[in-house]
Amino acid sequence: MDSNIVGVWIAAFLTLGIMSFLYKDNPWYKFSEAIFVGLSAGYWFASLFWQSLHAKFWTNWSPAVQSLFQGQFDYNLLYTGAGILGLMMLLRLVPPIGWISRWPLSVVVGGTAGLYLINYLVSNAIRQIGSTIQPAVTFPESIGWVQSGGVIIGNVLVFAVLLVSLGFILFGRSSTIDLPTPTKLFFFLIALVACGLGTFYSLSMPLNLTGLIIFMGVFCGLIYFFFSKEHTGFFGGAATVGTWFLMVTFGASFGYTVMSRMSLLIGRIDFLLVEWLKVVK
Amino acid sequence: MNFWKALLAIDRRWIFLFVFLALAVPMFLNVDFELSISREVQGLYDALDKLQPNSKVLMSFDYDPPSAPELQPMADAIMKYCLKKRLRIIIMGLWPQGPIQANMALARAFADKNIDQSEYVYGIHYVNLGYQAGNEFVIQRMGSSFYDMFKNDYAGNRYEELPLMRGIKNFNDIDFSINFSAGYPGTVEWVQIAVDRFHVRLGAGNTAVQAPQVYPYYNSGQVVGLAGGMRGAAELEGIFAYNAETDVVYKDRGTKYMLSQTIAHAVVMFFIVVGNIAYFVIGRKDKLKTSK
C-alpha cells in the first residue's frame, strides 16, 4: 500500500478525532489531542536543538575552541559567554541554586526591551503619529482657483455640520446643559446622518474626512484612557466617543478572528473531501 | 416553552452542524464570482506589476500548515505571477515549515500548463535559502549581509555557488520583498527592521487574525500592499486573473474557499440576529411579568 495513502488515512482519523470534541469530550478526542501535543513537543525540541543549539552555537563555538588549542584566537570564542548563560538558565531545574537562572533571564529581558524600544518607537509610534495627523484638505493638481474656493467653502460647511452635531452629542451628556431625551435622540440622529453624508462626500471631494475621523478616534481613545480626571461633561463625552471607536476596533478584530478560524476549518474540510474521500476535485 | 425560549435553548451542536454544512456544501459547487478589489490588494498588484523582468524579489514564508488555507492560495498566485513575469525569486523562511510551504507553491506553479518548468533553472531564476532561526535578528543581519545568515541554501548548496545570490549582498540588492505571515516573527518585524531601518519595499500577505494589526502599516506607507485573510487570497487570485498578459489561470482555492467562507458568515450572522431577537423578546416579556 502506498505510504501516502496510509498517511492520509491517519491524518483523517486524527482530524475527525479532534472534531469529535464538538459533539462531546471522548477518548478518541483525548487520544488525538495527546498525539498532537506529543508530536508538537518532539518536533519543536528537534527543531530547536538542530537549528539553534547545534547550528548557531556548536558549529561556531567548537571550531573556535579547537583553534584555541592550536594557539590561535577566534572571535567565535565569545559564544562561550552565550553557552554559560544558557547553562545558567537550566539551573532553574536545581531548586537550591535556581535563582541563578534570573541572571540570563535579565539579559534576555534587557536586550529585548532595548531592541523593541527603538523598533516600536519608530515603526509603531512615530510613523503612526505621522500618518494619523494628515492635512485636512488635499487638492488635485489640476484644480483651478475658482474650483478651489468652492471646494473649501463646501468642505468648511460639511465640517461645521459635523462639528456642531458632535458638539450636541458631547454636550448632550453634560450636566450643565440638560436636554430632554427626545431632543438628544433627535440631535444624535442628525449627527449620525451628518457623519454618513460627510463620509460619502469625502469619497468624491478632497476633504480628508477619513483622516479627520481617524484623528478624532485616536484623540478620544486617548482621553478614555486618561484616568486622572473624572469622565464628566465634555471630557466624559469625548471618552464615550473614544469607547465607540474602541468597540468598533475590537469588533473588526473579532470579525477577522472568526474569519480566520473559519479558514482553518475550511482547510480541514478541504483535506477530508479532496485528499481523503476524493469526492471533490 | 414558547418558540423564542426554545430558540435560545437550542443545542449548540446544531449550530456547529449548520456551520459545517455551510462550509462543506459550497465545495461541491462550481460557482464563479467576481470580488471587488480593495486598494490594499491593488497596491500589492501594482508594486509587482511595475517590476521589470529579472528584478529580484525576496519572499519570506513565515507560516506553517495550520495557516496554509489562507496564505497558501496567496503564495501560489504570487509565485505563478512572479515566474510568469520572469522575476528572480529568492525564498526564505523565519518559520521552520515556511520553506516547505514555498516548495509547495513552486510545485503548484510548475504544475500549471502555461508555466514550463524547463525554462526555469534552480539557482539562476529562483532559489530557496531555507529556514533560519533567530527571528527578527535574522532580518537585522540580512541588512548587512545575506551570506552571514544563509551560508547554505535549503538543499545544502553553498551560497557562493548559487549564481542568483552572487550579486546579492544585502537588502540594497533586492528590488521588492513579500512577506507571508501568520504571526511572530512576521510582517511586524519585517516592517520594523527591513522597512524602517533598511528601506526595503515590502508587500504582505497575512492571516485574518493578523491583518488588523498590519493595516495601519499600509496607511502609513510602510507596506505598499496587503492581502488579508481568505478574502485577500481570493482578491489576489481575481486581480491576477484580470491580467491578460500572463495567460495563467489564477482562480483557484482562494476563490473556491471564499464561497464557503461567505455562506458560513451568513449562517453565523443569521444565528446572531435571531439569537438577539429572541433575547430581547424574552427580556421584554420577563419585564412585563415582573411589573405585573
Side-chain angles (χ1 to χ4, degrees):
Chain A
M1 189 184 283
D2 186 356
S3 62
N4 191 39
I5 294 176
V6 176
V8 168
W9 274 84
I10 292 172
F13 173 79
L14 295 173
T15 300
L16 292 172
I18 293 292
M19 284 181 172
S20 69
F21 182 75
L22 294 173
Y23 183 69
K24 66 176 184 180
D25 203 356
N26 63 78
W28 187 12
Y29 167 75
K30 292 279 188 205
F31 176 73
S32 306
E33 185 193 34
I35 285 187
F36 175 74
V37 173
L39 272 178
S40 298
Y43 175 84
W44 280 107
F45 178 82
S47 177
L48 288 172
F49 179 82
W50 289 109
Q51 303 286 354
S52 294
L53 195 62
H54 184 266
K56 297 281 183 192
F57 175 73
W58 187 254
T59 55
N60 288 308
W61 181 73
S62 127
V65 172
Q66 287 175 10
S67 301
L68 190 67
F69 282 123
Q70 290 163 5
Q72 294 169 329
F73 177 77
D74 186 335
Y75 277 102
N76 279 343
L77 266 180
L78 292 173
Y79 278 91
T80 309
I84 291 170
L85 285 171
L87 284 174
M88 287 164 76
M89 191 82 94
L90 291 176
L91 291 179
R92 180 168 285 253
L93 300 171
V94 188
I97 49 170
W99 55 271
I100 296 177
S101 67
R102 291 178 190 168
W103 290 2
L105 211 56
S106 66
V107 173
V108 172
V109 171
T112 310
L115 176 75
Y116 278 22
L117 176 71
I118 302 300
N119 288 350
Y120 277 86
L121 186 68
V122 172
S123 304
N124 292 35
I126 295 172
R127 290 292 299 267
Q128 297 308 315
I129 291 170
S131 66
T132 301
I133 304 171
Q134 294 173 350
V137 180
T138 49
F139 290 105
E141 288 177 6
S142 58
I143 200 164
W145 283 102
V146 178
Q147 290 163 303
S148 302
V151 165
I152 289 174
I153 292 169
N155 285 334
V156 167
L157 281 175
V158 170
F159 192 51
V161 170
L162 190 68
L163 275 184
V164 169
S165 307
L166 280 170
F168 275 116
I169 293 176
L170 300 178
F171 284 107
R173 290 176 49 82
S174 166
S175 56
T176 53
I177 305 173
D178 191 17
L179 295 170
T181 306
T183 315
K184 281 182 190 173
L185 192 65
F186 174 72
F187 283 120
F188 178 71
L189 286 174
I190 284 186
L192 278 184
V193 171
C195 288
L197 285 176
T199 308
F200 179 73
Y201 176 80
S202 72
L203 295 175
S204 57
M205 299 304 281
L207 173 66
N208 186 6
L209 195 63
T210 311
L212 288 170
I213 290 172
I214 287 175
F215 174 75
M216 196 173 72
V218 171
F219 182 72
C220 294
L222 287 172
I223 284 181
Y224 173 75
F225 285 106
F226 190 81
F227 300 117
S228 300
K229 181 173 166 26
E230 198 178 347
H231 288 186
T232 53
F234 176 82
F235 202 75
T240 305
V241 173
T243 315
W244 296 346
F245 275 94
L246 289 172
M247 289 298 122
V248 170
T249 308
F250 295 148
S253 193
F254 178 72
Y256 264 111
T257 304
V258 170
M259 189 164 132
S260 206
R261 299 296 174 248
M262 291 281 186
S263 303
L264 298 187
L265 185 55
I266 287 173
R268 296 326 298 160
I269 293 173
D270 183 80
F271 164 75
L272 292 173
L273 297 180
V274 178
E275 290 186 48
W276 182 47
L277 297 174
K278 297 184 192 298
V279 291
V280 177
K281 284 187 178 177
Chain B
M1 187 184 287
N2 66 24
F3 173 73
W4 294 110
K5 278 194 174 174
L7 207 60
L8 275 186
I10 192 171
D11 193 328
R12 59 183 179 159
R13 286 173 288 197
W14 285 108
I15 298 173
F16 295 156
L17 181 66
F18 276 112
V19 171
F20 181 84
L21 290 174
L23 290 170
V25 171
M27 290 193 181
F28 291 92
L29 308 175
N30 193 13
V31 181
D32 189 20
F33 62 98
E34 302 292 339
L35 287 167
S36 60
I37 307 296
S38 63
R39 61 193 182 109
E40 292 86 2
V41 171
Q42 185 70 48
L44 186 54
Y45 173 79
D46 290 343
L48 283 167
D49 194 46
K50 281 176 190 160
L51 293 173
Q52 296 298 316
N54 296 324
S55 298
K56 296 179 183 72
V57 177
L58 175 69
M59 289 189 190
S60 186
F61 285 70
D62 303 334
Y63 66 96
D64 53 8
S67 306
E70 288 178 285
L71 296 178
Q72 200 65 31
M74 293 181 200
D76 290 351
I78 289 178
M79 189 68 82
K80 277 184 191 177
Y81 185 79
C82 290
L83 287 172
K84 198 69 187 173
K85 202 173 161 58
R86 296 281 174 183
L87 303 176
R88 304 290 170 111
I89 302 165
I90 300 154
I91 293 163
M92 59 167 284
L94 297 178
W95 287 38
Q97 297 96 333
I100 303 167
Q101 300 297 137
N103 281 345
M104 290 167 73
L106 274 169
R108 286 184 74 87
F110 286 136
D112 192 297
K113 63 181 184 338
N114 288 308
I115 297 176
D116 184 2
Q117 188 173 358
S118 64
E119 294 176 6
Y120 302 90
V121 181
Y122 182 82
I124 296 175
H125 298 101
Y126 65 99
V127 67
N128 187 344
L129 295 177
Y131 161 69
Q132 185 57 256
N135 303 333
E136 60 266 50
F137 296 101
V138 175
I139 310 172
Q140 174 78 34
R141 285 292 294 277
M142 288 171 73
S144 54
S145 170
F146 275 33
Y147 174 75
D148 283 349
M149 282 291 95
F150 296 98
K151 291 192 168 57
N152 300 295
D153 71 354
Y154 184 68
N157 302 306
R158 292 190 61 75
Y159 186 94
E160 57 271 25
E161 290 170 358
L162 300 163
L164 175 56
M165 302 310 296
R166 276 183 205 142
I168 296 176
K169 184 168 187 280
N170 54 35
F171 286 129
N172 291 335
D173 305 309
I174 297 293
D175 297 298
F176 189 64
S177 186
I178 303 169
N179 170 239
F180 301 104
S181 165
Y184 172 82
T187 303
V188 174
E189 287 68 35
W190 277 95
V191 167
Q192 289 178 343
I193 298 169
V195 175
D196 288 337
R197 205 170 288 182
F198 297 107
H199 311 295
V200 170
R201 292 186 73 235
L202 182 73
N206 295 97
T207 54
V209 171
Q210 206 192 13
Q213 195 185 358
V214 178
Y215 272 108
Y217 293 138
Y218 175 77
N219 291 327
S220 60
Q222 289 161 289
V223 293
V224 298
L226 168 67
M230 191 71 80
R231 164 91 195 192
E235 283 182 42
L236 267 180
E237 289 183 356
I239 197 168
F240 285 140
Y242 294 138
N243 189 320
E245 183 188 312
T246 53
D247 189 31
V248 176
V249 178
Y250 288 99
K251 285 202 173 179
D252 200 352
R253 290 178 295 170
T255 310
K256 190 175 86 171
Y257 289 164
M258 198 58 211
L259 183 62
S260 296
Q261 182 91 263
T262 306
I263 295 174
H265 279 202
V267 168
V268 170
M269 282 192 284
F270 171 78
F271 278 115
I272 289 173
V273 170
V274 169
N276 275 282
I277 290 172
Y279 176 79
F280 282 110
V281 168
I282 288 172
R284 199 180 62 180
K285 282 182 180 172
D286 285 350
K287 274 183 189 172
L288 285 172
K289 277 181 189 171
T290 315
S291 61
K292 281 175 186 174

